[in-house]
Amino acid sequence: MSRDASRPDPESELFAAVITPHRSLGRRGFIIVMAAFALLSTALSIPFYLMGAWPVVGFFGLDVLALWIAFRLNFAEARACEQVALSYVELLIRRVPRRGPSAEWRFNPLWVRLETETDEDFGMTRLAVRQRNDRIDVGGALSPHERAEFADAFGRALASAKAGPRTAP
């Protein structure tokens, strides 16, 4: 069965987004902070070593190790993401945690509506997709301003999905 080339594919994506938690420190920054902290710990431990209190050097090393572990855990959390994909026939929301199985929800875009909560001082505090009794929060890792921008773009794409594929003139 051939498809009319003038009609858009109903399963083509209208909107796709991957939302990841914000991390202000990248790999290069991590290396700089760790090197500076290690150098500072080494410089501060030298006088203790020279005074014969060499066990103190180990405690300075533990501080460096603790900071490294904290950053590694932070970077591991950053692997979590939320994926939103919208076509004319389906809305897919998938949450991928840093470890463990992912969870996904599938909706018919014709029956979905967006719900928002906005605070006068903070901006958009909540964005949710709702279909009947199912309500899924979306964009929890976004700032209020980013969440509002996401809601605008996603709302336009959802309206396009509800309008359906148009034929070319």
Side-chain angles (χ1 to χ4, degrees), residues 35-126:
F37 194 72
L39 285 173
L40 180 65
S41 288
T42 302
L44 291 174
S45 67
I46 289 174
F48 289 99
Y49 180 77
L50 294 176
M51 289 188 298
W54 56 266
V56 174
V57 175
F59 288 105
F60 276 106
L62 284 177
D63 289 346
V64 174
L65 178 65
L67 184 64
W68 182 81
I69 289 171
F71 274 122
R72 298 308 298 173
L73 291 173
N74 185 332
F75 290 143
E77 278 296 319
R79 287 194 293 264
C81 70
E82 189 172 30
Q83 302 167 346
V84 179
L86 175 67
S87 70
Y88 290 108
V89 295
E90 182 178 57
L91 167 62
L92 171 67
I93 299 172
R94 179 180 293 130
R95 288 206 184 112
V96 181
R98 75 177 175 96
R99 62 180 180 191
S102 63
E104 68 178 43
W105 297 267
R106 295 176 185 272
F107 300 99
N108 182 339
L110 298 175
W111 298 103
V112 168
R113 64 178 185 194
L114 291 180
E115 292 182 347
T116 62
E117 290 179 15
T118 305
D119 184 270
E120 187 176 300
D121 296 328
F122 299 109
M124 186 176 292
T125 57
R126 185 178 209 181

Side-chain angles (χ1 to χ4, degrees), residues 121-136:
D121 296 328
F122 299 109
M124 186 176 292
T125 57
R126 185 178 209 181
L127 173 64
V129 172
R130 184 172 194 125
Q131 179 177 325
R132 295 188 187 130
N133 294 333
D134 294 330
R135 180 170 148 176
I136 306 298

